Amino acid sequence: MSLKKFLASTALAATMATAPVMVPMAMAQDQMAQDQIDGAAIAAESDMVDAFIEAALAVNEVREGYMAQIEAEADQNAQMEMLEAADAAMLQAVEETPGITLDEYIAIANAAAEDPELAAEIDARFTEAHMGG
């Protein structure tokens, strides 16, 4: 998996995971603004990048597991129920990843989407850890 695909998938998964929970997400964003969470600063910690990658892989696995089912379902109500279940499972995947919180995960994903140097660092770490390179 390439970095661009990985980061796009991660950003998409972060968005998908948080979109249906608008009130909690709005609260989290307010809290993030108050706490001034800096994704790049968080990612500067080596362990945080590793935890981010592990969480992103878990989120991507959940997303991929649900996408085929959602796309195959003709009933829109059933699709919405599956999307909600997928969202909950993605949130749980991040929350169960040791060493990172949901707020930190989102902050790093957003920072990587806007910072090419951070994205390159995450790519290098991902490649090293999961591609044997």
Side-chain angles (χ1 to χ4, degrees):
M1 178 185 310
S2 71
L3 167 73
K4 289 182 183 179
K5 184 175 180 182
F6 177 72
L7 287 178
S9 174
T10 298
L12 175 62
T15 302
M16 283 178 59
T18 58
V21 285
M22 297 304 254
V23 173
M25 186 59 189
M27 292 170 53
Q29 287 175 341
D30 289 344
Q31 186 64 40
M32 284 173 46
Q34 291 171 3
D35 294 343
Q36 296 296 320
I37 293 178
D38 180 356
I42 293 169
E45 298 177 36
S46 177
D47 291 344
M48 290 302 280
V49 173
D50 293 338
F52 173 79
I53 290 169
E54 292 305 314
L57 288 170
V59 166
N60 189 55
E61 184 177 319
V62 169
R63 184 187 61 80
E64 287 179 357
Y66 276 92
M67 290 310 294
Q69 295 173 4
I70 292 167
E71 290 172 359
E73 180 59 58
D75 180 47
Q76 289 184 344
N77 289 331
Q79 283 181 336
M80 290 304 294
E81 289 176 11
M82 285 184 214
L83 279 171
E84 290 174 11
D87 292 338
M90 285 186 269
L91 287 171
Q92 183 176 359
V94 173
E95 291 170 349
E96 290 178 352
T97 302
I100 194 165
T101 67
L102 180 60
D103 288 343
E104 292 165 337
Y105 175 83
I106 293 169
I108 293 171
N110 289 338
E114 295 181 17
D115 182 346
E117 289 180 23
L118 177 57
E121 177 186 343
I122 291 171
D123 179 42
R125 299 281 294 280
F126 173 78
T127 301
E128 179 182 310
H130 298 282
M131 300 286 198

